[in-house]
Every structure is written in structure tokens, then in C-alpha cells.
Amino acid sequence: MEKFTKLKSIAADLQISNIDTDMIIPKQFLKTIKRTGLGSALFYEMRYDEKGNVIKNFILNNTPFNKAKILISGKNFGCGSSREHAPWALLDFGIRCIIAESFADIFYNNCFKNGILPIILPENQVKELSEAARKNKEIEIDLIDQKIHKGDNRPFDFEIESFRKECLLNGYDDIALTLKKDAKIESFEQRKKNLTPWLY
Amino acid sequence: MAKTLYDKIWESHLVDEQNDGTSLLYIDRHLVHEVTSPQAFEGLRLSNRKVKLPGSTLAVVDHNVPTTDRSKGIADKESAIQVETLSKNCKDFGIEFFGLTDKRQGIVHVIGPEQGFTQPGMTIVCGDSHTSTHGAFGALAFGIGTSEVEHVLATQTLIQSRAKNFKISVDGKLPLGVTAKDVILSIIGNIGTAGGTGYVIEYCGEVFRNFSMEERMTVCNMSIEAGARAGLVTPDQKTFDYIKGRPLAPKGENWEKALNYWSNLYTDKDAKFDRELYLQGKDIEPTVTWGTSPQDIASINGKVPDPNLEKNEDRKKSILRSLDYMGLEPNTAIQDIKIDKVFIGSCTNGRIEDLREVAKIVKGKKVNKSVDAIVVPGSGLVKLQAEKEGLDKIFKDSGFDWREPGCSMCLGMNPDQLKPKERCASTSNRNFEGRQGRGGRTHLVSPVMAAAAAIEGKFVDIRKII
Ligand code: SF4
């Protein structure tokens, strides 16, 4: 997983609430057995019409926003299915950070596994950032200090669990970290085998 | 200290807890399907890792499979590759696999309970958000992403943080014709699709106690549509009776031990919930969704909303967008909405009990000339049982297509899809834009409401029919 420390980019503003995973990546792209190459499928039905032509007024189809690394959206971003194809598609498109008022649980979790930083901010701050985004202003995310700089002297603070932060900053592989606790897992399992033997 | 059922299951699976609350949770059972697993197995291979407990894992193909004749395999190349990949991965890693022609094949959340794989007090995960279904048995069950699938395969654990407790109680009795589907749609309409975010919901009250296991599954299934991580129902005699004798259920001496353990799985009397919601069964009506989010509900006697009456700007915008997509005018009576398709099936409502209810409504009647209707059983065993009871004949005589088991039109990864602007009464769980096919318009309803709509060609009040 690629490390995440600081990120400076213009941001694409997609002010729709309840963006679901079917919108982020429709089902026909879930037939892949790979993680890569899904960027072209991101927001497919919003980006292309039924004949496959580019829909001009969709933000991610327009320069400079087609190069945005930050996405700003409404409430409950990523609701719906558990498909990790959603963060894979965002990542492949180039998005490394999503700022919204709230996220759906599974999607939020999936982001961290792929080096994407989802940031939750209150409504007024999201609005302010979305205005800055629409003016093509660059936004800088500093994960180390947990600050968002937007070109004035009033950076926003954001929260993140310390373990998730560590993993992003260092690009850790979760599984390798867990395997270090192998002895704990083994002894837990032994106890479980005595307590609930029918499960083994 | 008094504890909730969720607290008890959580604590009995806690391997490790860090200062910031990040926890390592032990996972008892893992269900795997073809769409969200290939990259996980690939990851294991790349890092030379094995599956820790192959015997705790069960795999099946469901999302991609055709529901028509399967004797010649799968026509769609990519789908075929995904299905073959799962078969090969299971062979290589020693995991039990129900393939396309296995009579036990079916939707992952139907076969788990059916095989006795799902049991109370367990932690169960699957790379699929509707894993919440298994909470009907008093198991902590939730959906995970592919990276987490790989994590569970390799370590039999997951990195998690503790959820909050949400009690939803529905008391009293439901009116005739009002089903488990109407209950969960009403709950989602009440709290919204993000209302359960960060919570595990425990469903309490007389209505849930009186529900069959199938009905409990329908409710728990859609917990994710309320944003919750999982849903739970306290296991009781009905739960134990359902499990007893199933192929993977504990046997002999183990059955007694299990029963003893399961009987202690309940929320203590004085346990505190972080949030509570109380509803009355008598207030719940047959429910139809009009929009593109499961929270967009209306009573069968209600109307499509008028965006001009909405004061919240954000909400107004989303109503306008939904109505445009759904091709509906504000204030249209729900009973005036005509439909083109009916889909009976999915992990929400594709079980034998659902099919029996549908059969009762359509027996001796004909599907409306303007409607295409299909019944897709949730599993091969549901299909066999239905055929044994002659339900297939009732469906076919009425003009329904009787299909092979799978996810089918719930998400349309296989050829079962809506065409643009086609309107469907569906017993599935999501009405998102494009969910059942690009431009397709989905109305979520109960099986009996879908059945009645198939006959009438439009939505009708089921209470006037039964
Ligand atoms: S039936 Fe639908 S919701 Fe259930 S597992 Fe299949 S695709 Fe998912």
C-alpha cells in the first residue's frame, strides 16, 4: 500500500448525498479478477451516456478536475455494498482523499486498506471546502498534523484513529501486522476450542 | 455490569485491544463468493500465505450465475472466468465449494443458514454487505471488503472497532398482509439510510419474537440499508429448532453443549443501549419505495412526495433527482404506478416461506399481460422443496418464469436485468440508480405485494386481496 503523508491538489466537488457504491462503480465492472484498471469505470453511468459518449457537464470529465486527487461530497458517502472495487476505482482514477460529512461503514474501512484517506468534517466546513474547490483552489491535506490547509490562515483540523493513521503514514500491510500477534491468536483459539468445541 | 447481546458476542471474540480501541476480533465462520474473493486469493499467493482454517470457510457461486439452463455452462466469458477462478482457488486452498451444478448452490446468505453453517453466538463475515442476514440467529455477522477477506483467510481474525448498541423494538401485532419486509422498510424510512451508521441493531419486541426464522432473516438482511454494521435477534427455541439436524449443525454431545451455550445469549435486563426506537406493529402498513434510496418509502395508500413541500434543500435536491430518475410525477398515488416487471427472489425474500406466500396469492390467477414476472429461488434446495410442494407449477400456470437459483435481478450481474425505464416491483433490497440495470426503475416491496402487483399490473393494497 502506498504511504500517505501529505497531499496537495485541487479538489473535485460532487455535492450529492448518499453516493452509493453502485454509482461509484456499476456491477458490470465487478467481473474482474484484478484490482487495477478500474479508473475508467469510476462513476461510469454519470460520466458516460448509454452510447458510451462522455457526459460533458460531469465534473470529473472536465479539466482540471479530471486530475483531482481530492473528492468532496455530501452525507453518507459510499453507502451500499461492500465492493472494494469502489475504492480501487477511485484510487486508479487518482483520488487519494475523500472529504464528506459522513461515510458508510464498510466503504470507510475499505478506503484505509488502499491508502485512501476518508475525512469526516462538519457541514459548514465541507461547504467551505466545496466553495474553495469550485474556485479551483488547491487544498493541502497534512495527515501528520491532521490539518487541512486551504490557502488562508485558518486550517481545519480533522480526526483519525491513531492506528489507522500509523498504517497510512507507513503504508503498513494489515495482515503482516496481525501475523505478528500469532501467539495471541493461537492461545485464544485454544481457549475457544475448549469453550465451543462444536465449532472445530 | 449488564451487557447487551452484542457486547457479549464481541467480548467473547476479542483477541487483542489497543489503546485507541482498535481491536483484533476472532472470526468463527467465513462465507466466500466469486465476485469479492479473487483478489484476496491472489494476495495470499503473492505473499505465500495459506488459509488458516479452511474448514471454517464455505464458498459458493451466486452473483454471476445464469438462472436459465446451465447445462452448457456460462455464456458470458468474464463471469465464467470468475466462477472458474473461485473453483480453482477453493481446490488449491482446501475450501469446501458449492459449484454451479451442485444442488446446494444458492445465494450465499441463503445457503449459510440452510446448511447449519450459521449458528448463534458466532462471528460470521463475508465479502458482501448483506451478511447482516445471519444476525437473525443471534450471530454477529457483517460484510467486509476484499482486503479483509484476505485478512480473515490468512489469520481468522479481523481488525475492528467496537460499534454502539441500538435497540429497535416493534411491539404488538402486525395487521394481516403486513410482512417482515414492510417492517424493515418502515424502520429504514424512520431512521434513514445512515441512521444506523456506527451501530449494531438489536431487534426486540413481540413482533420479532413472533417472527419465523425466515422473517427475522428478511429484517436483519436489510440492516445494512439502515447503515448499521449488523442486526441481531436473540436466539430462542425457534432458532434452535431451525438449526437442529442441518448438515453442519452440532451433533450428539456437541448439540447439548451448544444448546447450553446458546441459551445464555441474550441482552441482560438492565443493559444500556446508546439509542432506542420503539414502534407499534399496528402502525405498519404495506410499504412501497418510490425513489432511489431504501429510505424513500410510502404506504400503499400514500403518494409520491412533492419536492416543493420539502424545506430541507439537500433533501429537496435528492427528491428531485430520484423522481426524475424514476420517471414519476410528484403526488402520484402509489396505486396508480404501473409496472413492467416483477422480480421475486434475492437474499432478502428468496426463501421457501416467501415462495409459499407468493404462491398463495397467484394461485389460479394470471400475470397481467403487460408484466414480465420471474421467480428465482434463493438456493437449489429451496427450488427442490418448492417443486416438491408443487409451487413451481402454480407459478408457471400463472405465467411466471421459474428459474435456477442465484442473485439474479437483485443486482443484474448476470443477464437478468431491467432495460432503461423499465419499472419493476422487486422483493430485493436496493433501489439505487442502475442497480437492476442501467436506467431501470426499482420499487422495493414484500413478496405478497410483488405477487399482487404482477397480477394487477400495478401496485395494489394486499390487505384488500387476502
Ligand atoms: S441477492 Fe442481492 S443483495 Fe443478496 S447477496 Fe445477492 S446480490 Fe447481494
Side-chain angles (χ1 to χ4, degrees):
Chain A
M1 186 174 92
E2 204 181 319
K3 291 181 189 173
F4 191 116
T5 46
K6 283 187 183 181
L7 177 72
K8 192 169 184 181
S9 163
I10 49 156
D13 180 38
L14 196 59
Q15 278 307 313
I16 302 175
S17 285
N18 300 311
I19 295 255
D20 60 66
T21 50
D22 282 81
M23 281 177 175
I24 300 172
I25 184 163
K27 59 197 152 265
Q28 63 268 35
F29 302 105
L30 308 186
K31 295 184 182 179
T32 176
I33 55 171
K34 300 204 163 57
R35 290 173 202 249
T36 49
L38 292 172
S40 56
L42 180 70
F43 292 116
Y44 190 83
E45 289 175 6
M46 295 159 99
R47 268 165 79 198
Y48 305 98
D49 69 14
E50 276 155 47
K51 298 196 183 85
N53 301 318
V54 171
I55 297 173
K56 289 235 172 62
N57 63 8
F58 185 66
I59 182 135
L60 295 180
N61 284 336
N62 300 329
T63 38
F65 300 109
N66 54 356
K67 296 271 185 308
K69 294 190 171 79
I70 301 169
L71 188 68
I72 300 176
S73 191
K75 290 190 193 80
N76 200 23
F77 189 91
C79 61
S81 90
S82 65
R83 60 186 70 162
E84 203 162 314
H85 308 71
W88 294 337
L90 286 158
L91 189 66
D92 199 59
F93 185 87
I95 305 285
R96 293 293 309 278
C97 173
I98 305 161
I99 299 172
E101 274 172 64
S102 60
F103 291 88
D105 234 20
I106 306 178
F107 176 84
Y108 184 75
N109 225 350
N110 281 340
C111 282
F112 288 103
K113 313 283 175 191
N114 292 282
I116 298 176
L117 171 62
I119 299 179
I120 302 169
L121 289 182
E123 189 178 348
N124 59 335
Q125 296 189 351
V126 173
K127 289 253 148 69
E128 202 174 314
L129 288 176
S130 87
E131 271 158 35
R134 262 181 268 148
K135 290 181 191 139
N136 298 11
K137 278 199 190 150
E138 277 198 317
I139 292 172
E140 186 177 358
I141 315 286
D142 181 343
L143 177 57
I144 303 163
D145 290 338
Q146 295 178 219
K147 288 208 185 301
I148 301 171
H149 301 278
K150 50 188 177 7
D152 53 18
N153 292 325
R154 297 181 300 114
F156 293 148
D157 297 317
F158 65 91
E159 295 294 322
I160 177 172
E161 286 166 301
S162 58
F163 177 73
R164 294 195 199 265
K165 180 175 173 178
E166 276 303 300
C167 288
L168 276 182
L169 286 176
N170 297 293
Y172 283 146
D173 162 15
D174 273 2
I175 300 180
L177 288 181
T178 298
L179 286 172
K180 283 191 194 149
K181 295 184 177 163
D182 200 31
K184 268 195 181 167
I185 299 173
E186 284 308 316
S187 72
F188 182 89
E189 200 165 272
Q190 275 314 319
R191 264 182 287 139
K192 260 211 119 218
K193 279 181 181 164
N194 293 329
L195 191 68
T196 55
W198 62 91
L199 294 181
Y200 296 90
Chain B
M1 209 184 87
K3 287 175 181 160
T4 65
L5 174 57
Y6 169 68
D7 294 336
K8 289 182 185 178
I9 302 177
W10 172 269
E11 285 164 17
S12 64
H13 289 83
L14 201 57
V15 177
D16 189 39
E17 190 171 3
Q18 301 175 28
N19 290 336
D20 71 343
T22 305
S23 305
L24 196 62
L25 197 69
Y26 189 80
I27 301 302
D28 294 313
R29 291 290 183 267
H30 188 186
L31 288 155
V32 172
H33 67 84
E34 77 276 22
V35 178
T36 56
S37 67
Q39 297 85 352
F41 285 108
E42 179 196 50
L44 289 181
R45 280 200 187 87
L46 288 175
S47 45
N48 255 323
R49 286 172 182 144
K50 287 205 282 289
V51 174
K52 183 167 154 59
L53 285 184
S56 294
T57 314
L58 177 63
V60 69
V61 287
D62 56 1
H63 283 66
N64 252 319
V65 300
T67 56
T68 46
D69 179 25
R70 290 173 175 178
S71 56
K72 292 184 200 74
I74 303 178
D76 182 279
K77 265 218 190 86
E78 283 182 294
S79 297
I81 291 174
Q82 238 180 15
V83 167
E84 279 157 28
T85 304
L86 181 59
S87 161
K88 180 170 185 318
N89 283 333
C90 289
K91 206 184 266 161
D92 290 355
F93 288 93
I95 292 168
E96 172 138 40
F97 170 65
F98 296 172
L100 193 57
T101 52
D102 194 311
K103 69 172 193 297
R104 298 166 299 176
Q105 178 268 337
I107 304 169
V108 64
H109 310 307
V110 176
I111 65 148
E114 194 168 74
Q115 292 298 317
F117 186 81
T118 304
Q119 296 165 21
M122 282 178 163
T123 47
I124 305 176
V125 293
C126 171
D128 188 284
S129 58
H130 290 98
T131 309
S132 57
T133 312
H134 309 264
F137 291 79
L140 176 59
F142 52 92
I144 55 177
T146 299
S147 298
E148 293 178 309
V149 169
E150 186 180 339
H151 194 282
V152 175
L153 288 171
T155 70
Q156 208 61 34
T157 64
L158 255 189
I159 300 170
Q160 284 278 304
S161 48
R162 198 172 182 143
K164 290 179 284 182
N165 287 290
F166 191 167
K167 173 180 177 175
I168 297 183
S169 183
V170 185
D171 299 302
K173 296 221 162 36
L174 293 177
L176 201 65
V178 175
T179 69
K181 183 64 160 284
D182 303 301
V183 171
I184 186 62
L185 284 173
S186 302
I187 290 171
I188 297 164
N190 188 302
I191 67 174
T193 52
T197 304
Y199 292 97
V200 166
I201 299 175
E202 183 175 336
Y203 298 101
C204 314
E206 194 182 343
V207 164
F208 297 109
R209 276 199 303 279
N210 288 336
F211 270 167
S212 66
M213 290 313 294
E214 280 87 351
E215 291 171 304
R216 292 177 191 180
M217 283 190 253
T218 298
V219 172
C220 287
N221 173 275
M222 288 188 73
S223 302
I224 185 72
E225 269 64 54
R229 196 173 299 171
L232 282 171
V233 176
T234 301
D236 58 11
Q237 195 56 42
K238 266 185 210 160
T239 320
F240 312 147
D241 292 345
Y242 183 99
I243 297 170
K244 194 165 189 184
R246 295 194 179 256
L248 300 173
K251 308 250 153 40
E253 193 192 329
N254 268 338
W255 173 258
E256 295 307 322
K257 281 188 192 162
L259 211 51
N260 186 30
Y261 183 85
W262 296 343
S263 306
N264 288 311
L265 295 168
Y266 52 81
T267 290
D268 296 331
K269 226 174 119 240
D270 301 319
K272 273 219 174 61
F273 285 87
D274 301 285
R275 191 175 166 195
E276 297 181 14
L277 174 72
Y278 292 85
L279 300 173
Q280 290 301 324
K282 66 171 170 39
D283 298 337
I284 299 176
E285 296 181 278
T287 302
V288 180
T289 64
W290 52 262
T292 54
S293 164
Q295 71 189 13
D296 298 338
I297 61 160
S299 146
I300 181 64
N301 293 318
K303 285 182 191 162
V304 171
D306 186 340
N308 291 325
L309 300 178
E310 179 60 55
K311 292 200 183 71
N312 180 313
E313 270 308 307
D314 197 38
R315 185 73 196 128
K316 183 172 172 179
K317 230 168 78 183
S318 93
I319 294 176
L320 281 167
R321 187 184 165 94
S322 288
L323 291 186
D324 179 50
Y325 180 87
M326 293 296 289
L328 291 172
E329 292 299 324
N331 301 313
T332 307
I334 298 293
Q335 297 197 38
D336 287 341
I337 300 175
K338 292 201 176 67
I339 52 160
D340 310 303
K341 286 237 155 108
V342 169
F343 169 61
I344 311 253
S346 87
C347 59
T348 314
N349 284 125
R351 297 184 181 78
I352 188 68
E353 202 173 80
D354 300 309
L355 304 193
R356 285 181 191 135
E357 291 302 313
V358 171
K360 274 190 221 157
I361 303 292
V362 304
K363 190 173 182 181
K365 300 194 183 112
K366 291 276 179 234
V367 168
N368 196 284
K369 279 202 289 298
S370 62
V371 175
D372 247 350
I374 62 172
V375 183
V376 183
S379 74
L381 294 178
V382 168
K383 180 167 190 259
L384 284 177
Q385 181 62 31
E387 287 173 353
K388 213 165 104 192
E389 296 176 21
L391 305 184
D392 60 319
K393 183 142 191 322
I394 296 176
F395 297 138
K396 285 188 264 185
D397 286 350
S398 306
F400 280 89
D401 249 13
W402 176 241
R403 297 291 183 87
E404 298 295 325
C407 295
S408 178
M409 207 187 275
C410 174
L411 91 165
M413 266 188 88
N414 73 350
D416 308 338
Q417 292 183 12
L418 295 183
K419 293 191 200 77
K421 302 196 171 156
E422 257 180 352
R423 192 179 293 287
C424 179
S426 179
T427 65
S428 56
N429 44 53
R430 288 196 176 129
N431 51 354
F432 296 158
E433 290 180 20
R435 171 76 180 184
Q436 295 191 293
R438 184 170 186 148
R441 296 162 173 171
T442 305
H443 296 273
L444 303 175
V445 284
S446 73
V448 284
M449 283 284 286
I455 306 297
E456 299 294 330
K458 65 184 196 64
F459 291 114
V460 285
D461 190 345
I462 187 69
R463 291 169 297 190
K464 300 210 173 108
I465 296 175
I466 52 176

